[in-house]
Amino acid sequence: MASFQITGGRKLKGELIPQGAKNEALQILCAVLLTKEPVTIHNIPTIRDVNQLIDLLGDLGVWVTKIGENSYRFVASDVNLDYLESDTYKRKAAALRGSVMLLGPMLARFKKGRIPRPGGDKIGRRRLDTHFLGFEKLGAQFNYDANDGGYYQVDASNLRGTYMLLDEASVTGTANVLMAAVMAEGTTTIYNAACEPYLQQLSKMLNSMGAKISGVGSNLLTIEGVSELHGTEHTMLPDMIEIGSFIGLAAMTQSEITIKNCRIPELGIIPDQFRRLGIQIEYRGDDIFIPAQDRYQIESFLDGGMMTVADSPWPGFTPDLLSIVLVTAVQAQGTLLIHQKMFESRLFFVDKLIDMGAQIILCDPHRATVVGLNRQIPLKGIRMSSPDIRAGVALLIAALSAQGTSIIDNIEQIDRGYQHIDTRLNAIGAEIIRL
């Protein structure tokens, strides 16, 4: 288990280039299985989850060629379905939650699929019902056999388009069902579809491969099935979660940071939510400039009520940034209520912030009230452990702003979602040592 040793209290200054979007990458990479022709993808982040998925694709028989620093060419012309029966596949796929999105392309192209229960962050229950209910609507039959080592076995020999109303606007569920539907016979209509930029990017890529998807960007997708798809070239968006993390980092550490090439129109309400914490944000072309601020004050609602930040499906505020907003509010002036609706364990990392000196009341598994310190009391460095990707980076931000030295254990969680984060932050003045 690796650790970060962080010397806090340093003001950073410089430019940061966001990595490619992790959540988009996991969908886009699975989609290469839909065609036997070459698919070239640019701006792929070098992070643990993505590297594991690329490794898994290679084991499946996909030819993987690195053609640039963050660009790869994939050719899935000779996929070995027998590999799905191996212990190696079970171990690798079970360790990666994104592996569940291999099912949709498998069902579309090969008419069958097999996946173990996937892993991922320990942030509460993350059910897969939406995926399998969608597959069943398309005519697939699945079986989960605990005696077979916990495998989901799916038969899709007769996929047919249909109307479906998803039970929740699941991002990965929508992506999985969408990839299965693009080669189903007839027309599929998906209502209550997730419409995050990741889904929009996936839809645009699939359309460039020959799919017929309309309604992109809305919660009502219509897919006319086609018999086959061809190769394409695709460039991924910058990671909006990393962009939000850098905004919070700049505010907490009183740093002057420029975030480059942000694709600002794709960020939705993310910049505005940070502005409501009192953070100054300036657009310079497609770059975001955050000036060094001595103080930032949390707004109140127009009726004087306490500001609340809650997660909701896109175009609402993404749950992946609630941990960052929470830690950023620790040194603000004012009080903020965080309402995490989607995952019941995602706020449990606040005990580490409290140990560092933050004033936070954990109301219940879904809500926390942050009373800002207004820089009157600095956080102090401690030893802690990263429970998941986003909490890990929130703790890293806290440690960078604290007095003294902090150690964060289990940084493999951070590496799952943030590319060379220590090296990149050290380049603009941080002091992070990987132990």
Side-chain angles (χ1 to χ4, degrees):
M1 182 183 295
S3 303
F4 280 152
Q5 177 180 296
I6 304 107
T7 301
R10 292 176 173 269
K11 294 185 179 181
L12 315 182
K13 185 172 183 178
E15 296 181 348
L16 291 168
I17 300 174
Q19 67 189 27
K22 167 186 177 284
N23 291 339
E24 178 186 344
L26 299 178
Q27 300 175 23
I28 295 299
L29 290 172
C30 292
V32 306
L33 290 174
L34 285 165
T35 179
K36 62 184 179 182
E37 297 182 13
V39 176
T40 301
I41 305 175
H42 303 290
N43 201 29
I44 296 177
T46 306
I47 56 178
R48 184 179 294 266
D49 276 14
V50 170
N51 293 342
Q52 286 179 338
L53 184 54
I54 292 174
D55 184 46
L56 190 56
L57 288 169
D59 289 347
L60 273 166
V62 179
W63 290 94
V64 181
T65 307
K66 190 170 185 179
I67 57 175
E69 183 177 356
N70 296 107
S71 299
Y72 287 81
R73 180 177 295 113
F74 301 88
V75 184
S77 57
D78 190 21
V79 175
N80 177 20
L81 295 180
D82 291 337
Y83 177 70
L84 302 179
E85 308 293 332
S86 70
D87 290 338
T88 304
Y89 170 69
K90 178 183 177 181
R91 174 175 52 81
K92 289 186 175 182
L96 177 66
R97 183 169 180 81
S99 64
V100 71
M101 286 182 289
L102 293 170
L103 266 184
M106 286 182 192
L107 302 186
R109 184 172 165 203
F110 305 111
K111 310 306 179 188
K112 63 180 180 179
R114 180 175 164 88
I115 196 82
R117 285 185 64 88
D121 283 326
K122 305 304 181 187
I123 55 177
R125 289 168 294 183
R126 304 174 75 184
R127 60 191 182 89
L128 298 174
D129 300 55
T130 304
H131 301 247
F132 292 107
L133 290 172
F135 294 150
E136 283 189 314
K137 287 278 190 180
L138 292 171
Q141 297 179 330
F142 82 95
N143 178 56
Y144 176 70
D145 187 355
N147 297 322
D148 186 27
Y151 270 100
Y152 294 97
Q153 188 87 29
V154 188
D155 174 20
S157 54
N158 191 26
L159 288 185
R160 293 184 179 275
T162 187
Y163 167 85
M164 68 180 75
L165 174 62
L166 298 186
D167 63 329
E168 64 171 348
S170 164
V171 176
T172 56
T174 302
N176 224 350
V177 175
L178 176 64
M179 288 187 282
V182 291
M183 294 170 70
E185 183 180 340
T187 300
T188 301
T189 303
I190 305 176
Y191 200 17
N192 195 30
C195 52
E196 271 78 356
Y198 318 127
L199 259 302
Q200 297 178 40
Q201 286 285 99
L202 175 64
S203 298
K204 292 171 184 176
M205 173 180 163
L206 293 175
N207 280 343
S208 72
M209 295 170 70
K212 296 180 179 180
I213 305 168
S214 58
V216 177
S218 75
N219 68 345
L220 180 61
L221 297 176
T222 301
I223 306 102
E224 295 180 35
V226 297
S227 59
E228 63 178 1
L229 297 178
H230 52 74
T232 191
E233 188 168 353
H234 177 81
T235 300
M236 291 173 35
L237 291 174
D239 196 308
M240 63 183 180
I241 312 304
E242 193 171 70
I243 292 169
S245 301
F246 291 155
I247 294 173
L249 168 68
M252 275 288 279
T253 59
Q254 298 175 276
S255 299
E256 180 183 300
I257 293 177
T258 300
I259 311 168
K260 303 289 291 182
N261 306 322
C262 294
R263 294 286 293 273
I264 292 171
E266 307 292 342
L267 296 178
I269 66 171
I270 289 172
D272 287 337
Q273 286 287 28
F274 283 99
R275 285 191 176 104
R276 296 173 92 175
L277 300 184
I279 299 171
Q280 297 175 33
I281 296 175
E282 179 183 331
Y283 295 155
R284 296 181 175 179
D286 200 32
D287 301 340
I288 293 178
F289 174 72
I290 313 295
Q293 289 182 248
D294 291 333
R295 300 279 193 278
Y296 49 102
Q297 182 173 354
I298 300 170
E299 296 179 2
S300 299
F301 287 121
L302 292 176
D303 62 359
M306 183 193 307
M307 177 59 61
T308 300
V309 176
D311 59 333
S312 60
W314 190 270
F317 192 64
T318 172
D320 283 345
L321 278 173
L322 279 185
S323 300
I324 307 301
V325 168
L326 186 151
V327 75
T328 305
V330 165
Q331 284 295 2
Q333 179 182 346
T335 304
L336 181 71
L337 176 65
I338 297 287
H339 192 173
Q340 168 61 267
K341 301 175 183 176
M342 296 177 65
F343 305 109
E344 67 267 27
S345 306
R346 211 166 195 174
L347 297 180
F348 288 172
F349 76 99
V350 301
D351 60 333
K352 283 90 169 175
L353 297 177
I354 293 170
D355 289 344
M356 298 177 79
Q359 296 185 14
I360 303 172
I361 302 167
L362 186 60
C363 309
D364 56 46
H366 292 278
R367 295 177 301 157
T369 301
V370 185
V371 181
L373 297 172
N374 193 26
R375 303 207 195 277
Q376 299 301 306
I377 305 172
L379 298 181
K380 62 179 183 293
I382 64 169
R383 185 162 199 148
M384 46 198 158
S385 182
S386 171
D388 65 73
I389 299 174
R390 310 308 174 186
V393 171
L395 295 176
L396 177 60
I397 291 171
L400 287 165
S401 73
Q403 282 188 349
T405 300
S406 297
I407 294 178
I408 302 177
D409 298 318
N410 194 30
I411 59 168
E412 288 83 0
Q413 287 286 358
I414 298 174
D415 289 337
R416 287 180 50 219
Y418 290 81
Q419 174 179 299
H420 311 310
I421 189 68
D422 50 335
T423 304
R424 295 158 70 201
L425 295 182
N426 285 343
I428 62 170
E431 186 175 332
I432 306 171
I433 300 172
R434 184 180 290 262
L435 305 177

